[in-house]
Amino acid sequence: MKKIIIPFLIGAVIVVGVVVILKSKKPISPKPSLEQPSTQINKLQGAVNVCDAFPKEKIGEFLGKEITKSEVATNEINPEPSCYYYLGTKTVYLELNQKGNINEQINGWKALNSTIKEETKIPLKNFVVYTQEGKVRRIYLIIDEKTFLTIDTWGLGLSEDEEISFASKLANYLKSEFGVK
C-alpha cells in the first residue's frame, strides 16, 4: 500500500507545483479588449471641456450658421462634460457622456412614447429620438460601450434633414479627429 501512496503523493505535489508556476507567469502579449480603448479614443475621453474638443467654429461650419459664443455647461447638477453653442438666443447642446448607459437614455425616451431609430445616413452607430409628432428631439452618437455624444438642437427649428446632416458631420469629425470607429 505504501508503494502506491508514495508515488501518488509525489505526482500530486508535482502537478500542484506546475499549476502554481503556470498561474504566476504573466502572459507575454495580452490581447486588446474593449476595456482598453485606443489612444485616439482616450484623447476624447480625457476631454473635460467639450467646447475645446468641438470648437464653435466647427459647430458653426457643420450647421451652416454663425455661432456667436460657446459656454461650458458642465456644473454640479450636470457633471458630464458639455457645452452650449449660441446662435443669438438659441442654443445647440453637446454632452460627452463617459460613464452612462445609453440603454437608460433610450428606455427613458420610450417611456415618453418617443420613437427611437438608427439613422443609416450617420456614419457612426447612433440613436435618433423622434417625438410623437415625428420631429427629431435628440441624437446620440455612440463612441464606444460606455461613451456617447448627446446632440440637442431642439430649439433651433431645424428640419430633419438638417439635424441628420449636422449629426453626420459631427460623426465624421469624431472619426477623423479622434479615431472613433
Side-chain angles (χ1 to χ4, degrees):
M1 186 78 144
K2 286 184 180 179
K3 288 182 181 179
I4 295 175
I5 293 176
I6 292 176
F8 179 73
L9 288 175
I10 292 172
V13 168
I14 290 172
V15 169
V16 169
V18 169
V19 169
V20 168
I21 290 170
L22 290 176
K23 279 192 170 186
S24 68
K25 283 190 171 185
K26 293 183 179 177
I28 295 171
S29 59
K31 295 180 182 175
S33 72
L34 292 173
E35 299 292 318
Q36 301 169 334
S38 74
T39 307
Q40 290 292 340
I41 293 175
N42 277 339
K43 178 180 168 188
L44 180 62
Q45 288 177 337
V48 291
N49 187 334
V50 172
C51 299
D52 287 344
F54 303 94
K56 71 177 185 163
E57 294 78 17
K58 279 286 176 201
I59 299 301
E61 176 187 326
F62 297 158
L63 280 169
K65 300 179 184 301
E66 183 184 352
I67 303 292
T68 54
K69 74 175 185 172
S70 60
E71 176 181 73
V72 173
T74 308
N75 57 46
E76 288 179 23
I77 296 170
N78 181 32
E80 293 296 333
S82 51
C83 186
Y84 290 117
Y85 299 88
Y86 291 89
L87 292 87
T89 58
K90 298 179 180 186
T91 61
V92 172
Y93 175 76
L94 296 182
E95 178 182 286
L96 184 62
N97 193 311
Q98 301 176 52
K99 301 174 198 143
N101 181 340
I102 189 63
N103 293 323
E104 289 176 7
Q105 299 291 319
I106 300 306
N107 290 336
W109 286 108
K110 285 180 180 177
L112 295 171
N113 294 320
S114 297
T115 303
I116 292 85
K117 296 179 184 174
E118 186 167 357
E119 178 53 62
T120 58
K121 293 177 186 173
I122 300 173
L124 277 180
K125 181 162 179 61
N126 65 82
F127 294 103
V128 180
V129 178
Y130 292 89
T131 64
Q132 292 175 346
E133 296 78 29
K135 297 183 186 263
V136 174
R137 177 61 184 95
R138 191 164 284 170
I139 300 174
Y140 297 98
L141 299 179
I142 310 305
I143 295 168
D144 65 28
E145 274 183 359
K146 296 182 180 183
T147 309
F148 55 91
L149 183 68
T150 302
I151 305 168
D152 191 336
T153 59
W154 181 246
L156 295 182
L158 300 176
S159 69
E160 180 179 353
D161 286 342
E162 289 172 313
E163 297 255 11
I164 300 301
S165 174
F166 176 60
S168 294
K169 290 172 184 173
L170 265 175
N172 282 325
Y173 184 73
L174 284 166
K175 291 171 89 173
S176 68
E177 294 297 312
F178 300 102
V180 175
K181 297 179 185 195

